[in-house]
């Protein structure tokens, strides 16, 4: 299963995305069951100096625990000063955006999105 995550928008979006990448990379349970890659959601722009890294792509193995991942994202949001909006999109296009939810609500929403993917 592959999912993409985007964080916030504007000037701070890239910095927040890198922060989430580092947070998830430090989580042993996520690191053990998912491959994390910072990527661009759009095609390369001719003449640009490089791609804009605006999404985090996770390739998940069969041992992936949706609840652990959802909790890790929710905990990361909880320690951020502005609690940025996090959007998680499955490969079928289904997505969940979490902006004003508590850590518990965010974990529940993200966990449900990913658990549904595993049953399809």
């Amino acid at each position: 299963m592959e999912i993409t995550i985007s964080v916030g928008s504007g000037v701070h979006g890239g910095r927040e995305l890198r922060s989430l990448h580092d947070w998830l990379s430090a989580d042993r349970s996520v690191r053990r069951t998912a491959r994390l890659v910072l990527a661009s959601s759009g095609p390369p722009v001719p003449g640009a100096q490089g791609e804009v890294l605006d999404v985090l792509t996770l390739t998940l193995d069969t041992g992936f625990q949706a609840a652990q991942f959802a909790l890790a994202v929710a905990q990361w949001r909880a320690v951020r000063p502005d609690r940025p909006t996090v959007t998680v999109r499955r490969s079928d296009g289904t997505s969940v955006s979490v902006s004003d939810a508590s850590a518990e609500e965010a974990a529940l929403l993200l966990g449900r999105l990913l658990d549904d993917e595993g049953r399809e």
Side-chain angles (χ1 to χ4, degrees):
M1 170 180 22
E2 186 173 289
I3 60 171
T4 58
I5 303 170
S6 57
V7 177
S9 62
V11 178
H12 302 293
R15 182 173 48 227
E16 294 289 10
L17 187 66
R18 282 179 177 77
S19 171
L20 178 58
H21 175 270
D22 293 346
W23 181 276
L24 293 174
S25 295
D27 186 311
R28 260 188 19 212
S29 63
V30 173
R31 201 174 55 237
R32 189 172 49 241
T33 59
R35 185 174 59 90
L36 294 96
V37 177
L38 287 168
S40 175
S41 62
V45 177
Q49 291 185 359
E51 292 182 304
V52 174
L53 302 177
D54 60 351
V55 295
L56 176 59
T57 302
L58 279 79
T59 304
L60 312 169
D61 71 18
T62 55
F64 176 73
Q65 297 294 319
Q68 282 298 110
F69 167 75
L71 183 60
V73 171
Q75 289 172 335
W76 172 81
R77 278 190 74 247
V79 300
R80 304 307 299 161
D82 296 326
R83 290 194 179 183
T85 299
V86 174
T87 302
V88 178
R89 183 177 309 278
R90 298 188 321 205
S91 55
D92 68 1
T94 304
S95 67
V96 167
S97 291
V98 177
S99 56
D100 294 329
S102 69
E104 294 79 19
E105 292 169 324
L108 183 62
L109 285 170
L110 295 173
R112 283 187 182 162
L113 173 78
L114 298 172
D115 279 342
D116 287 347
E117 174 72 11
R119 286 188 277 248
E120 293 177 358

